[in-house]
Amino acid sequence: MQTYAIEWFVAIFGVSLLGLLSWAFRILPNERWQFVATVPLRKHGDGSWIGTNLTYYGLLSAISQVAAFAIMMVLTGAVGVGFGAMTALVAVFLIVVLPSARWVACLVEGKQHTFTICGAMFVAVAVLPAAIAAANLLLRAVGAAEMPMLPVLAAIAIAYTFGEGLGRSACISFGCCYGKPVHDMNGFGRRVFKRLHFVFEGNTKKIAYADQLAGVPVVPIQALTAILHVVLGLVCLWLYLHGWFRLALASAMVGTQLWRVYSETLRADFRGFGQITVYQKMALSSAAIALIYAMGLTRSPVAAPDLMAGFNLMWSPWPLLLLQAVGLASFVYSGRSEVTSAR
């Protein structure tokens, strides 16, 4: 792929994503954008129904995960990874990483109905190299091409960076992962966020029932995280397409995890006990482990990424069906509200 084509692709992709996020920041704090639908479950004698709410949190999370998996598949396909190996990676995420978002949050916060992307990413960083190595043993046994460890890890890190950025729109919709009230900020922070803030509406948003902050200007931490992640993802995507896998992996993971550590200081929702939270420790550990991967892994001989090869691999029924399955699994897992009901 010609250099100028890479620059144009990254630029157009970036403008599209940032435009989408700008629209999301304007509308999603409103009460209207918490529930996408209600499914009736049982009928009362007076003719009313009790239903289960399906949330925009689940829908937007599913969309962001499908986008992340699509990016991962295109980038790994660009370095010659086949569809069978991609399916194995997706299976690891669905079976191990996705459920860990709930059980890590349960361990840290002692709550049943919450998720943590930080915890899920910590688990992913720990298990993915072993999963790739195991998959390579199987691929070698059947005579198929193995996955190059460093480019695949870099592709996953970039996909995570974009997915985390886009996924913050789900947090805005649900009113979770919210920032401190602007009036609690001091000096420069108060001056900045007096003009740039979120005001959440609706008594069923988490910010309302957990901290009674509905209608109060708060630090737009979800928007800051989304913008930083998307911009960092674009930089790392450019590095990856130029073949700088080591730098792309290190930049994506160190950048996102250090921001995670700092952004915790701007949040008002409960993040666990201690001056340095468990999530901050997980983020620092993830950054350190990823940096070790980036510096220590031997780069396998691999051709320069061919973006069109990645798109061509995606444009067939099986990858598209796999992405649909990922989206459906994610929506079923996280889209049903467990803290509200409908009548």
Side-chain angles (χ1 to χ4, degrees):
M1 192 173 184
Q2 296 293 327
T3 300
Y4 69 86
I6 293 175
E7 329 291 83
W8 274 107
F9 171 76
V10 172
I12 293 171
F13 188 49
V15 169
S16 301
L17 292 182
L18 292 173
L20 183 64
L21 287 175
S22 176
W23 171 78
F25 297 158
R26 290 197 302 273
I27 68 166
L28 291 180
N30 299 332
E31 186 175 12
R32 160 71 180 81
W33 293 92
Q34 184 173 359
F35 302 114
V36 65
T38 297
V39 178
L41 296 180
R42 60 184 183 275
K43 189 176 182 180
H44 283 184
D46 62 0
S48 65
W49 286 80
I50 297 297
T52 292
N53 293 318
L54 303 178
T55 63
Y56 275 105
Y57 177 92
L59 179 62
L60 294 170
S61 294
I63 291 172
S64 66
Q65 288 185 36
V66 168
F69 277 113
I71 291 169
M72 182 194 76
M73 293 168 73
V74 169
L75 294 182
T76 54
V79 294
V81 176
F83 175 70
M86 290 181 191
T87 305
L89 288 176
V90 172
V92 170
F93 272 95
L94 293 180
I95 296 171
V96 179
V97 177
L98 182 61
S100 70
R102 182 188 290 267
W103 59 257
V104 171
C106 289
L107 288 174
V108 174
E109 302 179 40
K111 300 176 182 177
Q112 294 293 323
H113 310 302
T114 189
F115 301 91
T116 169
I117 300 302
C118 179
M121 195 59 202
F122 176 73
V123 172
V125 169
V127 305
L128 278 175
I132 294 170
N136 279 341
L137 289 176
L138 294 176
L139 293 169
R140 190 184 310 160
V142 299
E146 298 181 31
M147 290 184 283
M149 181 74 75
L150 186 59
V152 168
L153 288 177
I156 293 171
I158 294 168
Y160 156 74
T161 303
F162 281 114
E164 170 86 349
L166 296 174
R168 285 299 154 184
S169 61
C171 300
I172 301 172
S173 168
F174 188 59
C176 62
C177 308
Y178 43 89
K180 293 179 178 179
V182 173
H183 61 70
D184 286 347
M185 301 295 291
N186 293 317
F188 178 74
R190 179 180 290 189
R191 290 195 299 273
V192 170
F193 297 121
K194 187 176 182 180
R195 297 183 60 186
L196 302 172
H197 56 257
F198 278 153
V199 176
F200 289 90
E201 301 174 358
N203 293 329
T204 54
K205 288 187 183 279
K206 185 177 180 180
I207 192 172
Y209 63 76
D211 278 307
Q212 293 74 52
L213 291 175
V216 176
V218 295
V219 175
I221 189 63
Q222 305 98 324
L224 297 176
T225 300
I227 293 171
L228 182 140
H229 278 65
V230 168
V231 171
L232 181 59
L234 292 169
V235 172
C236 294
L237 176 62
W238 183 85
L239 292 171
Y240 185 95
L241 294 177
H242 281 282
W244 296 331
F245 307 121
R246 204 179 301 276
L247 186 56
L249 171 59
S251 300
M253 289 305 301
V254 173
T256 57
Q257 299 313 299
L258 289 183
W259 170 253
R260 169 78 64 175
V261 173
Y262 172 70
S263 67
E264 295 275 310
T265 65
L266 299 176
R267 288 176 60 168
D269 57 324
F270 178 70
R271 307 300 298 150
F273 299 102
Q275 202 165 29
I276 300 177
T277 69
V278 174
Y279 291 128
Q280 288 173 309
K281 294 174 183 176
M282 286 183 181
L284 287 172
S285 299
S286 296
I289 294 170
L291 193 58
I292 292 171
Y293 293 159
M295 296 176 63
L297 286 173
T298 302
R299 175 171 171 173
S300 305
V302 62
D306 183 352
L307 191 59
M308 291 310 301
F311 280 121
N312 289 336
L313 181 66
M314 279 286 297
W315 197 246
S316 59
W318 289 113
L320 295 177
L321 287 171
L322 179 61
L323 289 177
Q324 291 179 32
V326 167
L328 181 60
S330 175
F331 183 63
V332 169
Y333 186 72
S334 62
R336 183 173 60 87
S337 176
E338 298 179 355
V339 294
T340 65
S341 62
R343 181 182 176 113

